Amino acid sequence: MSYYLPTILIQDDEVEIVCIIKKLLSKNNYKILTSNNGDEGLLILQKNKVDVIITDIKMPFKSGIEFSQKAREMYPDIEIIVCSGIDTKKYLCEVADIGISATIPKPFNSKEFIEVVEEVVNKCRLQFLHQNKYTNSVVINSGPTISKIGNYLYNNSINTYQIRDKKELLELMVTVAKSSTTSISVVILDYPSVSEWQLNCQQFEDSEIIITLSERELKNENIRSWCYENYGLYVMSENISEKELIHLIKNTITRIKVKQELKYKEKIFEFYSNSAKSQGKALIQCSKDIIKESDSLVEKQNKMLAHADRLASLGVIAAGVAHEINNPNSVIRVNLQLLERYWKKINEIIYDYIKQNKNNEKDTLIQKAYEDIPSTITDSIEGTERIKKIVSDLKSFAHSPNSDSAARNADGNSLGKEEINVYELIEKAISLTRHKHKHLCTIEKGYAKDNDQRPALIYAQSVGIEQVFVNIILNAVDAIKEKELLNSKEMIEEKYKGSILINGHIETEKELIITVQDNGIGIKEVDLKKIFDPFFTTKPIGEGTGLGLMVAYNIITEHKGRIEVESTYLKGSIIKIYLPLIIRANS
């Protein structure tokens, strides 16, 4: 454990004054050095690391001002207190240039003198702790968690404490509280331990608590609500992957470092504010600088916190999505494949039956089912495969959106991408969403599907771009449905009929523009700036995830494009998508 012992140099040409000050400060735990002139003081500074200088102004050989200037050159962070019987106003400019911490007039009041010195020493102590404090310490009581991130914590020199019960945790907290170089940053506990130990959140004032929940506990709304109310937002599945857990720990530690930096700056600012009267104009200017720096730090901290929270939230949600969707999707796919095999065995029997009873009107339905079942099974199997790809894409976008680090082929194109016609993908997206829009609205297309003069060809991952148009069309359909419901109650628009118009045109030789326009409910102006935020939705609870436009934005950005939204509440929305075209020499 590092121990801080402040060193104070007392300098005055009057020996009696030096003895009085030394006696006053001897009651505190300080290392005291003394000097009677500037030259002697500089020799002491060359041999000793001094934290605080208490100096007179008028001295033989070197004045206090000259001595302080030399001392500042040797130790830029040294604290200087001017204690003089002359009027310091005439030296105000020189004192301000040096950057003194306080001025004490002679004769001085013993109590006030000690208070000023203690305040300056406290600032030095705060700086020492700030320079030596380790904020990267993690406490874990979950076996599976330590096995996932143990190597990462060790390789990154992050202190790790594994505890088994409440007693060990409390003992560790007492030990850390006494230390000047260690703090607990992250505490990872499982839900049974948290509920049984009945911990007080105030005990973890400077720490972030992450609670691991089992799949059964995650589904329990009461448990989740209790965790949020008592320990904050950070709840994760015990099945979280190693990569996602490391991502969460890194962001949490970054956030804590920012908070501690802000806390340190606030204390330093408080120090300057409390001593402003004794420091005069020099410290008034210093206070302005601290205020400006604090405001800048607050702004940076807010941006970092928002970014870290988004990334952490996306990582945690992705694990839950993969588990909750992929498992039942696998069951559906296996059953459909089994059904497909059974159908191949019985379709001949049904065919013979239809052939023998083709004049029976009741068997018309059987014949229609016979014709539709094979394509229905095939479409369903393709749908399960699409669900699997969507979940996989969502996880990848959550962790590395807009990444430019993907491997590239010889032509400079990302691997996994291919030459595709955007209009064909739009047709597929319209077909995939037909069950949603066929009875609710019409979809008009203002582009030529087969444009021989200039086809809309891009390099892209077809599944991703197709998913963009699926998400946008579904959002438009939901907006139309919401306006239709509102219109039935308040009669906003007479004879309202929902419509979606999809246009495509080549603005320049290098760029394709796709616009999707609907006459749905629209978006309120206050919500427009948040539509690409993860988990933001204007739909009723339970009807939207808030991920559709976020995923679309990430996919388009990854393909070097951009997406813009214009909307008027109760009038409708226009979404514009800009994608780079394939450039060929003969185009």
Side-chain angles (χ1 to χ4, degrees), residues 200-477:
N200 185 348
C201 288
Q202 295 178 351
Q203 297 172 293
F204 303 96
E205 184 179 357
D206 296 323
S207 306
E208 297 277 3
I209 300 177
I210 300 175
I211 301 175
T212 61
L213 300 181
S214 65
E215 294 301 319
R216 181 183 60 81
E217 291 163 349
L218 270 174
K219 295 176 181 177
N220 190 315
E221 187 174 350
N222 292 332
I223 291 177
R224 291 202 312 274
S225 299
W226 183 86
C227 291
Y228 292 149
E229 291 171 2
N230 290 277
Y231 292 93
L233 179 63
Y234 303 101
V235 175
M236 70 179 184
S237 167
E238 64 182 8
N239 294 325
I240 189 171
S241 70
E242 178 180 344
K243 181 180 178 181
E244 290 160 346
L245 182 55
I246 290 174
H247 188 74
L248 178 60
I249 294 295
K250 284 171 65 178
N251 277 289
T252 303
I253 289 177
T254 299
R255 183 166 53 251
I256 290 170
K257 286 183 177 179
V258 172
K259 286 181 178 179
Q260 291 202 346
E261 184 69 16
L262 179 61
K263 192 174 181 180
Y264 166 72
K265 292 293 183 181
E266 288 173 344
K267 287 184 177 179
I268 294 294
F269 171 70
E270 183 180 355
F271 164 80
Y272 283 118
S273 298
N274 292 338
S275 58
K277 290 182 180 180
S278 63
Q279 295 175 38
K281 293 183 179 179
L283 282 186
I284 291 175
Q285 183 60 45
C286 186
S287 297
K288 290 179 179 179
D289 294 340
I290 293 295
I291 291 172
K292 185 177 180 180
E293 187 178 353
S294 296
D295 290 341
S296 176
L297 188 63
V298 168
E299 185 178 354
K300 290 180 181 178
Q301 181 226 23
N302 289 336
K303 289 181 179 179
M304 290 182 68
L305 286 176
H307 184 62
D309 284 339
R310 287 184 190 180
L311 291 177
S313 299
L314 285 172
V316 174
I317 290 295
V321 168
H323 182 77
E324 295 296 331
I325 295 181
N326 279 344
N327 285 352
N329 186 56
S330 299
V331 174
I332 294 170
R333 182 174 176 79
V334 169
N335 288 340
L336 286 169
Q337 291 171 340
L338 184 62
L339 184 61
E340 188 177 37
R341 287 199 297 271
Y342 286 156
W343 176 253
K344 289 179 181 178
K345 293 180 180 180
I346 66 172
N347 69 345
E348 293 181 4
I349 299 172
I350 298 176
Y351 177 76
D352 293 339
Y353 173 80
I354 294 172
K355 197 173 181 180
Q356 295 172 9
N357 299 274
K358 58 183 178 180
N359 295 325
N360 191 339
E361 293 182 0
K362 293 182 179 179
D363 293 325
T364 303
L365 180 60
I366 296 176
Q367 183 171 353
K368 189 174 186 327
Y370 176 78
E371 294 170 353
D372 291 345
I373 284 175
S375 60
T376 302
I377 295 174
T378 302
D379 291 345
S380 299
I381 292 175
E382 289 179 357
T384 59
E385 184 63 28
R386 186 172 302 279
I387 291 172
K388 182 180 177 182
K389 288 182 178 179
I390 290 171
V391 172
S392 176
D393 287 345
L394 178 57
K395 290 183 68 177
S396 66
F397 291 131
H399 295 295
S400 56
N402 310 331
S403 175
D404 291 326
S405 59
R408 295 184 179 275
N409 59 24
D411 296 326
N413 301 308
S414 298
L415 296 178
K417 293 184 179 180
E418 57 186 340
E419 185 177 300
I420 59 172
N421 189 316
V422 177
Y423 298 148
E424 292 178 358
L425 292 183
I426 295 175
E427 293 292 332
K428 289 186 69 175
I430 293 172
S431 176
L432 285 169
T433 56
R434 176 176 167 75
H435 66 289
K436 282 281 189 179
H437 62 70
K438 63 180 179 180
H439 298 305
L440 190 66
C441 62
T442 59
I443 294 185
E444 299 178 20
K445 293 167 284 186
Y447 58 85
K449 182 179 177 183
D450 298 313
N451 188 342
D452 295 331
Q453 294 181 348
R454 190 72 166 92
L457 298 178
I458 65 171
Y459 279 118
Q461 294 171 330
S462 58
V463 173
I465 298 297
E466 183 181 312
Q467 186 63 42
V468 168
F469 292 116
V470 167
N471 289 357
I472 291 173
I473 292 173
L474 289 179
N475 279 352
V477 171

Side-chain angles (χ1 to χ4, degrees), residues 92-111:
L92 184 61
C93 291
E94 291 90 340
V95 167
D97 289 339
I98 296 169
I100 56 97
S101 302
T103 57
I104 303 175
K106 294 178 184 176
F108 50 76
N109 178 282
S110 299
K111 183 179 179 181

